[in-house]
Amino acid sequence: MNLFSKFEAGLPIAEFLAKYGNESHRARWQSATAQTLLTDEQQKLLRTFTRRTNVLVLAGAWCGDCSSQCPIFERIAEIAPVVVTRYLDRDEHADVQAALQINGGNRVPVAVFFSEDGQEVARYGERTLARYRQLVSQLTGEGCATGFVKGTDPVQQAVVQEWIDQFERVQWILRLSPRLRRLHND
């Protein structure tokens, strides 16, 4: 499967939520977006990004993990306009869902990072290490997060940083790519 062709079919976040979310879903995503704050240091780093990074996100508007993490991607793209995100609904795109399974399961969100010319660079998804550490320490058997976000929550702040680390890693892969350096003469 050519996942980059799926990026081209993906929707910007507002269109994705309008099509797949109900009023309650959209309210939860809006609340999480309002609570997702980037530090000055994080913003300074993101402003150094120069390579276009296309990010395909497999998500569900109903999903708590998605509503708590996808706004992070949008905050990153606001500060680093070279980052372009597109969203696909997990249930409507069963072929992508099957291709992006994690540990044999249908998980969301999953982000696939592409270069400007459609080369896959990396995949990352579902939950970050900080969130898994929290869940393991609680051992509550939680199956799906609520998606309610508090910007002051240290675990959520760690999740934001872990996603920024993934975006940064991809940016440096792209920035140091001999193929792209030749293309951009840098």
Side-chain angles (χ1 to χ4, degrees):
M1 168 186 312
N2 178 354
L3 283 174
F4 190 66
S5 69
K6 297 294 186 171
F7 173 84
E8 299 294 335
L11 299 174
I13 190 71
E15 292 176 35
F16 171 79
L17 290 172
K19 183 172 182 179
Y20 298 105
N22 62 33
E23 188 175 321
S24 174
H25 299 145
R26 287 188 291 276
R28 188 172 33 169
W29 284 63
Q30 288 174 329
S31 174
T33 299
Q35 291 293 314
T36 301
L37 307 173
L38 303 182
T39 67
D40 291 342
E41 185 175 312
Q42 290 167 335
Q43 291 181 43
K44 182 178 177 183
L45 169 70
L46 294 170
R47 286 187 185 101
T48 68
F49 288 10
T50 59
R51 293 282 193 258
R52 180 175 169 122
T53 307
N54 298 309
V55 185
L56 173 65
V57 182
L58 184 66
W62 48 267
C63 173
D65 287 320
C66 294
S67 66
S68 68
Q69 294 179 79
C70 295
I72 299 167
F73 313 155
E74 297 309 303
R75 290 287 189 229
I76 290 169
E78 286 172 8
I79 303 299
V82 295
V83 173
V84 179
T85 57
R86 293 292 181 267
Y87 293 81
L88 292 179
D89 179 71
R90 181 192 87 165
D91 297 327
E92 187 169 301
H93 295 273
D95 56 339
V96 178
Q97 176 179 294
L100 297 179
Q101 286 186 335
I102 296 174
N103 192 31
N106 299 329
R107 306 283 190 250
V108 287
V110 177
V112 183
F113 299 84
F114 298 95
S115 64
E116 63 194 63
D117 58 355
Q119 297 298 311
E120 185 174 327
V121 180
R123 297 178 186 195
Y124 191 72
E126 203 227 354
R127 295 175 175 143
T128 70
L129 184 57
R131 188 65 67 202
Y132 270 112
R133 284 178 176 151
Q134 178 190 41
L135 293 173
V136 166
S137 72
Q138 292 172 347
L139 288 177
T140 62
E142 179 181 354
C144 188
T146 63
F148 295 110
V149 172
K150 283 183 66 177
T152 57
D153 173 18
V155 174
Q156 183 64 17
Q157 291 171 341
V159 169
V160 169
Q161 185 58 56
E162 288 171 336
W163 273 109
I164 287 174
D165 291 344
Q166 293 303 312
F167 278 77
E168 180 185 11
R169 178 178 175 271
V170 167
Q171 183 62 204
W172 302 150
I173 290 170
L174 294 172
R175 184 64 181 88
L176 297 174
S177 162
R179 176 178 60 80
L180 294 174
R181 291 190 74 198
R182 281 191 301 276
L183 178 69
H184 292 282
N185 199 26
D186 61 8

